[in-house]
Amino acid sequence: MAIPHPRDIQVAVVDWLDERYPFTKAVDEALYQRVPNFANAFYYCFGGMVFILIVFQLLTGILLALYYVPDASGNPAPAYTSVQFIQNTVYLGWLIRGVHFWSANILIVMVLIHMARVYWTGSYRAPRELNWMVGVLMLLIVLTLSLTGYLLPWDTKAYFATEVTIKIAGSAPPAQLGAFIKEILQGGPVVGPPTLLRFFTLHVFVLPALIVLLMYVHFRFIRAHGISEPL
Ligand code: HEM
């Protein structure tokens, strides 16, 4: 029996899949779209850079989660020692942690530049208002990710910075609302193990899931409107 050429196997597999669901058509529709020539101006790149940085964050975050222990009980707390272990012992742990840290910082700068570009070219105007609003939500999520991530190393700096943040949030008027926000964030009378668990849950599950969902919506909107023209 003649050995089939790998290409024939590939065609057969793709045909088989396409008979069950129009994968080729779906991928073509998703990937191939004519982009206007003006979109190669450098200032259209910042949204894509934000996207790449978020992918970096997801990948390095998953690697950090392999070793991080969100437990602030005991002294020294496992949360603290696990971060020290990542930094000093895990193979390339310092690099993964460093990339996560620096991407987070650069991400905020890039989001602000991207937003400034959208503002400068007036791209928030009709029909793109909803996409601007989706953007504002993503900006808030990026900032909250930084805030919640800051506590996770559970060192003195993280602890007292979070205490200050929670105090600020807790001072929101009226007093009952402030006290309620503080209680929700802190999970107890002081910043302690429940606070760490809450911040960890937000940082690792809730906010990443939300931002991935919103990025999908953002990109669907961009596809629907096409990119806005320069001034
Ligand atoms: C945080 C994650 C974000 C990602 C991954 C993202 C990604 C992108 C990308 C790839 C584009 C295509 C054009 C370009 O890159 O300039 C774009 C366009 C756009 N973005 Fe964002 N963006 C984010 C945040 C924001 C924010 C914070 C705002 C505003 C508050 C915003 C508002 C818009 C609008 C209105 C457009 C359409 C612009 C046009 O058609 O010229 N985005 N975004």
Side-chain angles (χ1 to χ4, degrees):
M1 195 181 82
I3 300 170
H5 191 275
R7 193 169 158 76
D8 294 335
I9 300 177
Q10 186 195 338
V11 169
V13 171
V14 172
D15 283 352
W16 188 89
L17 287 171
D18 271 346
E19 277 160 24
R20 270 122 201 115
Y21 184 84
F23 285 105
T24 308
K25 193 166 152 257
V27 171
D28 280 358
E29 274 171 13
L31 292 185
Y32 300 114
Q33 166 146 342
R34 282 195 68 82
V35 176
N37 284 343
F38 62 74
N40 65 4
F42 81 94
Y43 50 79
Y44 285 104
C45 80
F46 296 112
M49 285 167 80
V50 172
F51 172 73
I52 290 170
L53 287 167
I54 291 181
V55 171
F56 274 14
Q57 289 307 81
L58 294 173
L59 293 178
T60 51
I62 290 170
L63 292 176
L64 290 170
L66 295 178
Y67 289 96
Y68 180 72
V69 184
D71 177 2
S73 58
N75 194 12
Y80 174 79
T81 47
S82 64
V83 172
Q84 294 309 308
F85 184 69
I86 291 169
Q87 186 71 26
N88 301 319
T89 312
V90 176
Y91 179 64
L92 295 184
W94 60 272
L95 181 65
I96 300 296
R97 185 166 174 236
V99 170
H100 199 73
F101 175 84
W102 283 107
S103 298
N105 282 276
I106 301 168
L107 178 59
I108 292 179
V109 177
M110 285 299 158
V111 173
L112 294 178
I113 297 178
H114 171 58
M115 232 176 122
R117 188 292 281 174
V118 172
Y119 180 74
W120 176 58
T121 52
S123 313
Y124 52 84
R125 286 186 298 216
R128 298 186 176 80
E129 303 96 318
L130 282 180
N131 213 13
W132 173 268
M133 291 180 206
V134 171
V136 171
L137 287 180
M138 290 197 291
L139 172 69
L140 293 176
I141 292 177
V142 166
L143 294 176
T144 316
L145 275 165
S146 297
L147 203 94
T148 49
Y150 205 82
L151 180 63
L152 303 188
W154 201 250
D155 52 16
T156 321
K157 197 169 67 159
Y159 185 91
F160 288 105
T162 303
E163 210 176 40
V164 171
T165 325
I166 293 184
K167 214 171 246 168
I168 294 172
S171 63
Q176 292 91 332
L177 177 68
F180 177 71
I181 294 174
K182 188 171 174 185
E183 197 182 313
I184 293 285
L185 288 176
Q186 209 161 258
V190 291
V191 174
T195 324
L196 182 77
L197 261 186
R198 283 172 192 214
F199 276 44
F200 174 77
T201 307
L202 282 173
H203 189 80
V204 170
F205 300 111
V206 182
L207 299 173
L210 272 178
I211 205 158
V212 168
L213 183 76
L214 289 176
M215 282 198 298
Y216 177 75
V217 175
H218 203 58
F219 296 154
R220 293 304 298 220
F221 268 126
I222 295 167
R223 269 297 165 91
H225 299 139
I227 200 78
S228 67
E229 288 184 29
L231 297 176

